[in-house]
């Protein structure tokens, strides 16, 4: 016993002497990046022995030791073992809800292309689940399909495929995936529940589709009646120049062009600010009155085609003063109405007693963009005379 104690004392003495010599030898050595009070905890986290948690991302430049240890894990010569390690690491990331990182890890495992079909199909199925979690349903379906192809009858892969199909609104496909799963395991409750969900979704989808088709058909018929009523009155329609891809500004002939010129299409329900046809077969037009002297406008949402211009002017200018009419000039009896003949650069006079329908059926009048417009001037004023010089006057 005394001999052992003597040997131990001798070893301790030798070790102390060695340490003292090393300290003496290196007493003048200065570390390039010594630890400081500010960074010692951060630096120790880069040393594997002192780490308190596993880093999410490892920078080989900043932590070469950690990067080297991580790389050692996947340096197995056996591809099956490497793929399995990737699968396990991917599962850990998935549990922590790091789905994007899990996808990267599973992808590395798939790249190994090991011969173990169970591992490969699991990698694809797990990656399908990770893609599903972040909303990549199409990619999830592709991975589930690949997993099932590698391992036919793989329940997890079949379930993932069914779930992805539901999110993609491919309900018939989802039902087929569920039936395939139940063929392998009739008692699987997850497939029974998913099949009920897919069947219900399919019924709702078909019901909504029928409802939408009925509404579109009703809308088409209403638009057809509207176009027929407008054409029977001889109204000329054109799209607003620059808003359609025509080689030249031409009168629209096709039904689609007419709807476009009216600001309508087959998917839009006529309503506010658009021409409508009531149950009595009367057209109601959105009409714009322009007052160039003051740069003002009035928008009449539904101008009954059978009403006279004077009817609207009396309502607009008789009951109260208009804020911008500072000189109180705009009185119905003092107003004149014109429309532009764009092709002839002419102003065409319209009598107040005329109905809207009569003006719109004038061969020289063109409705642009579905909204008839008219210029309102105060007669016998300097502005009227000056404004009319820009046009060829035509009464």
């Amino acid at each position: 016993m005394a001999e052992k104690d003597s040997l131990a004392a001798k070893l301790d003495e030798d070790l102390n002497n060695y340490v003292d010599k090393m300290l003496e030898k290196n007493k003048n050595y200065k570390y390039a990046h010594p630890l400081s009070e500010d960074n010692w905890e951060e630096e120790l986290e880069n040393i594997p022995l002192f780490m308190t948690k596993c880093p999410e991302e490892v920078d080989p430049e900043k932590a070469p030791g950690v990067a080297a240890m991580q790389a050692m894990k996947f340096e197995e010569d056996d591809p099956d073992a490497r793929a399995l390690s990737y699968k396990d690491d991917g599962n850990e990331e998935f549990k922590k809800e790091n789905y994007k990182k899990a996808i990267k890890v599973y992808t590395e495992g798939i790249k190994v292309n090991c011969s173990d079909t169970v591992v490969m199909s699991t990698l694809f199925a797990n990656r399908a689940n990770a893609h599903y979690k972040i909303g990549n349903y199409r990619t999830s379906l592709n991975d589930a399909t690949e997993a099932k192809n590698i391992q036919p009858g793989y329940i997890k892969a079949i379930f993932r495929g069914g779930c992805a199909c539901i999110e993609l609104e491919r309900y018939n496909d989802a039902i087929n995936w569920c039936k395939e799963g139940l063929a392998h395991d009739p008692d699987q409750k997850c497939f029974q529940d998913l099949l009920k969900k897919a069947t219900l979704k399919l019924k709702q989808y078909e019901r909504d589709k029928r409802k939408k088709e009925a509404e579109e058909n009703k809308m088409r018929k209403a638009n057809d009646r509207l176009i027929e009523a407008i054409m029977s009155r001889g109204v000329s329609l054109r799209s607003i120049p620059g808003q359609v891809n025509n080689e030249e500004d031409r009168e629209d002939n096709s039904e689609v062009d007419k709807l476009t010129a009216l600001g309508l299409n087959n998917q839009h329900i006529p309503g506010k600010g658009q021409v409508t046809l009531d149950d009595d077969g009367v057209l109601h037009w959105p009409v714009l009155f322009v007052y160039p002297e003051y740069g003002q406008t009035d928008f009449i949402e539904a101008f009954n085609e059978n009403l006279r211009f004077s009817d609207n002017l009396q309502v607009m200018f008789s009951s109260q003063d208009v804020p911008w009419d500072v000189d109180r000039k705009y009185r119905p009896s003092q107003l004149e109405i014109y429309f532009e003949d764009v092709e002839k650069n002419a102003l065409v006079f319209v009598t107040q007693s005329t109905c809207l329908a009569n003006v719109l059926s004038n061969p020289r009048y063109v409705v642009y963009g579905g909204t008839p417009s008219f210029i309102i001037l105060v007669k016998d004023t300097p502005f009227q005379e000056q404004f009319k010089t820009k046009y060829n006057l035509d009464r």
Side-chain angles (χ1 to χ4, degrees), residues 63-110:
V66 180
M69 291 189 68
Q70 283 195 338
M72 288 172 59
K73 180 174 183 180
F74 300 109
E75 287 181 352
E76 294 277 356
D77 291 332
D78 182 5
D80 292 349
R82 275 193 292 146
L84 186 60
S85 293
Y86 280 118
K87 178 186 76 72
D88 293 340
D89 277 12
N91 291 348
E92 288 300 317
E93 297 299 335
F94 188 92
K95 290 177 183 177
K96 292 184 287 186
E97 299 184 359
N98 295 331
Y99 301 123
K100 291 184 177 180
K101 189 170 183 181
I103 289 171
K104 292 181 180 179
V105 178
Y106 290 137
T107 300
E108 291 301 316
I110 290 170

Side-chain angles (χ1 to χ4, degrees), residues 121-175:
S121 61
T122 302
L123 283 167
F124 274 107
N126 290 0
R127 192 172 73 173
N129 197 18
H131 275 300
Y132 181 89
K133 289 292 186 179
I134 61 175
N136 295 340
Y137 303 122
R138 192 171 301 281
T139 305
S140 177
L141 177 58
N142 292 338
D143 277 351
T145 302
E146 188 64 29
K148 188 180 69 166
N149 290 340
I150 295 173
Q151 188 182 354
Y154 186 16
I155 295 298
K156 183 189 290 186
I158 297 173
F159 183 73
R160 301 291 176 225
C163 290
C165 283
I166 286 182
E167 297 301 330
L168 292 169
E169 297 184 352
R170 295 169 55 172
Y171 303 121
N172 281 314
D173 291 338
I175 290 172

Side-chain angles (χ1 to χ4, degrees), residues 1-11:
M1 184 69 177
E3 184 179 353
K4 289 183 179 180
D5 291 341
S6 176
L7 179 59
K10 181 68 169 59
L11 291 173

Side-chain angles (χ1 to χ4, degrees), residues 316-365:
M316 296 164 64
F317 293 103
S318 294
S319 59
Q320 60 184 3
D321 293 331
V322 181
W324 46 263
D325 181 19
V326 293
D327 295 327
R328 304 296 183 260
K329 297 184 298 184
Y330 281 73
R331 295 293 181 262
S333 60
Q334 295 298 110
L335 301 180
E336 290 187 342
I337 306 168
Y338 299 87
F339 69 80
E340 285 185 288
D341 183 339
V342 177
E343 293 183 357
K344 295 183 178 181
N345 190 36
L347 276 183
V348 181
F349 177 75
V350 178
T351 60
Q352 290 193 24
S353 60
T354 305
C355 292
L356 176 63
N358 292 339
V359 179
L360 298 186
S361 62
N362 187 320
R364 298 181 63 179
Y365 194 90

